[in-house]
């Protein structure tokens, strides 16, 4: 058309320029209409005139509708999920990486006092002010659940778990375990009461027996083996009662009140002396590699009890002239105690249960050696109270290594300083 007009008028260039300007104006108007159509999500009237722009508008409209449907579906899934989680009896709080509340269900308000949406963005450690929860959140090691009193009702107890999910988010889940806690408390009180009641009669009984044993030559010969047996059993009963009492005391709290710096090398020296006496004519070979300065914050009495249980077990379950190695050292992960023997070893299936109270691989052998089956349970509780863990490696017929790993925080301050200074 522009060419025809240009041919007739003889002004080709001017005609083409006018036509181009008109086309640009037309395009601009239609693109404007397309933009208005895109901006108005309610209006589905495709802008005129038909052509490429109309096709683009139709395609965009189709994609927009599909996106809307998907969004609706997702919103309904989310709503269903939130309704289901809201109805869960367990308190559930979604936390961001820095421990801020993102969402919480109704049970969270009941059990933890965390309200949603009021507490949105608040740090969980500001809402639940318990040192145990603060350590649990900041340590970022959440292998097992912790037990805390409910912040909303001191008579109820909660088991708290932290599960990482998605991108740097955490689910803070708390379950009401008051009934279980009560049952455990009743069991523990019962054992403690019975042990306590038995303690006095056994002490009296042992006192008289000791006098009789001291004067055994005055007793008829036929009675003498009986006296020895009575004495051995009375001693065993006393050890059993003392260990049961110790265990129920250890169970009361999962931390040591008033920890003090404990020089473990000193304990190892004392325990080694007693271990040599127990070994007697079985002539075990003992080796000791210890850091003489390394101190742990905790209870000397409890640590002595745990270490002696491990070392005496090594002696009892290692045949004559066996080798028992003790190591006490620190590295950048913490402090470590190793008790290694080349004794009878422990089968894999027993390993899992070995720290349960009264669990023994060979009951008669254990009893014969004065064992109560409570030693490793005591070790485990003592370690828990010192923030430490027990790892056991063993092979039947080859020997065993019991390793206690104490965290850096359990090391007495001067020892941590020494580690950070160049040698
Ligand atoms: P016990 O009083 O019977 O020694 P423990 O709780 O100390 O009770 O140990 C539980 C069981 O673990 C023992 O009966 C024994 O079977 C096994 N055990 C412990 N230490 C060792 C060891 N160093 N080597 C082999 N077996 C061991």
């Amino acid at each position: 058309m522009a060419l025809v007009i240009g041919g007739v008028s003889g002004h080709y260039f001017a005609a083409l320029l006018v036509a181009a300007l008109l086309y640009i104006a037309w395009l601009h108007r239609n693109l404007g209409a397309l933009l208005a159509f895109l901006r108005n999500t309610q209006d589905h009237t495709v802008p005129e005139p038909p052509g490429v722009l109309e096709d683009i508008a139709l395609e965009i409209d189709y994609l927009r509708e599909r996106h809307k449907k998907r969004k609706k579906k997702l919103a309904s899934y989310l709503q269903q999920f939130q309704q289901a989680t809201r109805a869960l009896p367990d308190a559930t709080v979604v936390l961001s990486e820095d421990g801020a509340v993102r969402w919480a269900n109704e049970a969270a308000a009941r059990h933890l006092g965390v309200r949603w949406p009021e507490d949105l963005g608040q740090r969980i450690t500001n809402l639940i002010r318990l040192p145990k929860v603060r350590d649990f959140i900041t340590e970022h090691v959440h292998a097992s659940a912790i037990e805390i009193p409910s912040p909303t009702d001191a008579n109820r107890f909660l088991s708290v778990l932290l599960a990482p999910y998605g991108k740097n988010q955490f689910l803070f889940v708390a379950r009401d375990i008051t009934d279980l806690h009560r049952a455990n408390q009743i069991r523990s009180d019962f054992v403690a009461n019975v042990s306590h009641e038995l303690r006095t009669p056994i002490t009296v009984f042992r006192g008289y027996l000791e006098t009789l044993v001291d004067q055994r030559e005055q007793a008829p010969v036929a009675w003498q083996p009986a006296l020895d047996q009575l004495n051995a059993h009375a001693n065993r009963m006393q050890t059993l009662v003392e260990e049961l009492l110790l265990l129920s005391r250890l169970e009361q709290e999962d931390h040591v009140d008033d920890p003090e710096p404990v020089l473990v090398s000193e304990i190892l020296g004392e325990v080694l002396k007693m271990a040599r006496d127990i070994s007697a004519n079985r002539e075990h070979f003992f080796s000791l590699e210890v850091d003489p300065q390394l101190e742990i914050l905790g209870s000397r009495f409890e640590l002595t009890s745990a270490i002696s249980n491990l070392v005496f077990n090594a002696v009892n379950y290692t045949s004559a002239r066996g080798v028992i190695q003790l190591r006490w050292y620190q590295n950048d992960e913490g402090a470590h105690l190793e008790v290694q023997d080349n004794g009878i070893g422990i089968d894999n299936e027993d390993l899992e249960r070995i720290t349960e109270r009264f669990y023994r691989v060979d009951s008669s052998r254990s009893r014969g050696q004065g064992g109560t089956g409570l030693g490793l349970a005591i070790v485990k509780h003592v370690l828990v109270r010192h923030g430490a863990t027990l790892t056991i490696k063993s092979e039947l017929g080859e020997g065993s290594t019991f390793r206690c790993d104490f965290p850096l925080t359990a090391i007495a301050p001067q020892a941590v300083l020494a580690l950070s200074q160049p040698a």
Side-chain angles (χ1 to χ4, degrees), residues 308-323:
S308 50
N309 269 311
L310 290 177
V311 178
F312 298 165
N313 273 353
V315 175
N316 288 336
Y317 300 105
T318 302
S319 48
R321 281 185 280 282
V323 180

Side-chain angles (χ1 to χ4, degrees), residues 1-11 15:
M1 182 74 157
L3 285 176
V4 176
I5 296 173
V8 173
S9 64
H11 296 286

Side-chain angles (χ1 to χ4, degrees), residues 243 309-310 313-318 341 343-346 354-356 358-363 366-367 370-377 394 399-400 402:
E243 289 194 349
N309 269 311
L310 290 177
N313 273 353
V315 175
N316 288 336
Y317 300 105
T318 302
D341 65 58
I344 62 168
I346 305 157
I354 206 110
T355 55
E356 287 172 19
F358 296 117
Y359 189 86
R360 287 173 278 208
V361 177
D362 180 345
S363 307
S366 159
R367 265 193 215 104
T372 56
L374 294 173
L376 290 181
S394 187
S400 320
F402 289 75

Side-chain angles (χ1 to χ4, degrees), residues 77-316:
Y77 283 153
L78 190 67
Q79 204 182 6
Q80 279 175 29
F81 168 75
Q82 288 194 344
Q83 273 169 358
T85 345
R86 213 169 283 154
L88 273 179
D90 294 349
T92 311
V93 185
V94 175
L95 297 179
S96 59
E97 195 183 14
D98 58 355
V101 173
R102 288 206 164 152
W103 182 83
N105 66 355
E106 279 159 16
R110 248 190 343 268
H111 297 319
L112 299 168
V114 176
R115 277 160 230 288
W116 189 80
E118 292 91 325
D119 292 330
L120 180 72
Q122 293 259 26
R123 295 273 161 96
I124 189 98
T125 42
N126 287 339
L127 299 169
I128 308 172
R129 291 184 172 274
L130 291 173
K132 214 169 165 185
V133 171
R134 189 197 54 220
D135 295 346
F136 188 59
I137 300 276
T138 49
E139 269 169 25
H140 278 269
V141 183
H142 321 290
S144 52
I146 55 162
E147 206 179 302
I148 58 165
S150 164
T152 54
D153 180 354
N155 293 319
R156 304 205 74 76
F157 290 87
L158 306 172
S159 164
V160 174
L161 253 182
L162 201 60
Y165 85 99
K167 215 175 170 196
N168 297 330
Q169 301 213 88
F170 292 91
L171 268 186
F172 185 94
V173 184
R175 166 168 297 184
D176 190 333
I177 50 154
T178 308
D179 291 345
L180 185 69
H181 185 87
R182 256 185 221 139
N184 271 339
Q185 192 64 46
I186 291 170
R187 177 188 59 86
S188 184
D189 288 350
F190 173 76
V191 173
N193 288 339
V194 170
S195 311
H196 195 75
E197 291 300 323
L198 283 173
R199 196 187 212 175
T200 314
I202 290 173
T203 311
V204 174
F205 188 57
R206 271 195 70 223
Y208 282 120
L209 259 176
E210 245 165 47
T211 320
L212 286 176
V213 170
D214 283 348
Q215 299 163 1
R216 67 203 307 277
E217 24 338 302
Q218 291 171 29
V221 179
W223 285 21
Q224 288 178 7
L227 270 182
D228 290 337
Q229 271 209 27
L230 277 173
N231 198 31
H233 282 287
N235 284 341
R236 229 178 79 71
M237 273 203 288
Q238 176 138 41
T239 314
L240 192 65
V241 164
E242 295 300 339
E243 289 194 349
L244 278 173
L245 277 172
L246 173 61
L247 250 183
S248 53
R249 206 163 52 74
L250 294 176
E251 269 181 346
Q252 296 300 315
E253 293 275 353
D254 58 7
H255 62 273
V256 176
D257 287 328
D258 307 322
E260 43 165 16
V262 181
L263 200 55
V264 173
S265 56
E266 217 171 70
I267 300 180
L268 281 167
E270 290 163 14
V271 170
L272 192 62
K273 264 192 218 150
M274 292 188 266
R276 286 191 205 279
D277 287 345
I278 297 173
S279 166
N281 55 3
R282 285 186 292 152
E283 297 175 358
H284 290 100
F285 175 78
F286 293 93
S287 94
L288 203 63
E289 278 171 51
V290 297
D291 180 335
Q293 311 297 338
L294 182 52
E295 288 180 316
I296 279 290
L297 291 171
S299 149
R300 190 178 209 280
F301 170 76
E302 288 178 25
L303 288 169
T304 306
S305 173
I307 295 173
S308 50
N309 269 311
L310 290 177
V311 178
F312 298 165
N313 273 353
V315 175
N316 288 336

